[in-house]
Amino acid sequence: MVKKRSKNELKRQQILDSAISLFTEQGYAATSMDLIAKNADVSKQTVYSHFGSKDDLFFASIENRCESIQILDLSMSELNDPHKVLFRLAKELIDMITSKQGCAIHKICAFESNAYPQVSDIFYQAGPLKITHDITELMAKLHQQEILHIANPKYAALQFLNIVKGELWMQIEFNIKERISIKELDDYLRESVAFFIRGYALKP
């Protein structure tokens, strides 16, 4: 049975959706709390009652998007098939970082990092750092259950994240129009997952 969200929870999500849409379309500096309230069809007081400042709202809106990656919601039967688990995770990560909003947030942080250094820090805390932490926990589980031999879960998490980005992320960063195909991406991710698992295979 799906739990019905309260009116207060729905209002909060409405504000988050409005905020992330405006932040990615107009940038951090040009997006005011007044504008977010108007776009969400709520009062400015309602926005402040949920989020104390624009920084708090920026953090929450990014965190909300990152939570769509369900990294730790895995049963033991799924963990026993690391190829399947890690390939699925790789696909979800790629979908998030290459999405329109993901790319827009990355550009905002790069563009406004000098004038608003807190923007990049907020993004790092709510996005990359949180995801790294969650993947680190996954790597620790794979080690604890003796599925893979991962002595340093954090290093393994960072290695996995950077392997996944691959050529596609370089093409996005340099705004290259011609991108690798979906088939090439899938082949790359499968081979990368296999490479990662070979590197962390249990010692004989």
Side-chain angles (χ1 to χ4, degrees), residues 26-68:
Q26 303 191 160
Y28 178 85
T31 300
S32 67
M33 296 292 262
D34 281 319
L35 192 58
I36 291 168
K38 184 178 179 181
N39 192 55
D41 196 25
V42 298
S43 69
K44 186 177 178 181
Q45 183 179 355
T46 299
V47 176
Y48 275 109
S49 70
H50 284 275
F51 309 97
S53 67
K54 188 164 80 166
D55 282 358
D56 291 341
L57 180 49
F58 186 62
F59 182 99
S61 60
I62 294 170
E63 189 175 46
N64 183 254
R65 287 300 178 267
C66 293
E67 284 172 356
S68 63

Side-chain angles (χ1 to χ4, degrees), residues 2-126:
V2 178
K3 184 182 177 183
K4 191 174 181 180
R5 291 198 291 181
S6 69
K7 193 173 181 180
N8 195 50
E9 289 173 327
L10 290 170
K11 191 73 71 177
R12 185 178 190 277
Q13 189 60 52
Q14 195 175 323
I15 295 167
L16 286 171
D17 291 340
S18 170
I20 197 69
S21 175
L22 288 168
F23 281 134
T24 53
E25 287 174 11
Q26 303 191 160
Y28 178 85
T31 300
S32 67
M33 296 292 262
D34 281 319
L35 192 58
I36 291 168
K38 184 178 179 181
N39 192 55
D41 196 25
V42 298
S43 69
K44 186 177 178 181
Q45 183 179 355
T46 299
V47 176
Y48 275 109
S49 70
H50 284 275
F51 309 97
S53 67
K54 188 164 80 166
D55 282 358
D56 291 341
L57 180 49
F58 186 62
F59 182 99
S61 60
I62 294 170
E63 189 175 46
N64 183 254
R65 287 300 178 267
C66 293
E67 284 172 356
S68 63
I69 299 179
Q70 298 299 319
I71 294 169
L72 300 178
D73 187 20
L74 298 166
S75 66
M76 274 311 303
S77 61
E78 289 178 298
L79 282 176
N80 284 326
D81 187 350
H83 286 87
K84 182 179 178 180
V85 167
L86 293 177
F87 179 71
R88 191 180 80 192
L89 175 57
K91 291 278 285 183
E92 289 176 347
L93 286 167
I94 281 290
D95 287 346
M96 188 195 73
I97 65 177
T98 63
S99 67
K100 183 179 178 181
Q101 286 187 344
C103 291
I105 291 170
H106 183 269
K107 287 177 182 176
I108 288 169
C109 293
F111 181 75
E112 303 195 90
S113 60
N114 287 329
Y116 299 92
Q118 80 273 20
V119 172
S120 294
D121 185 60
I122 290 169
F123 171 68
Y124 182 72
Q125 295 288 331

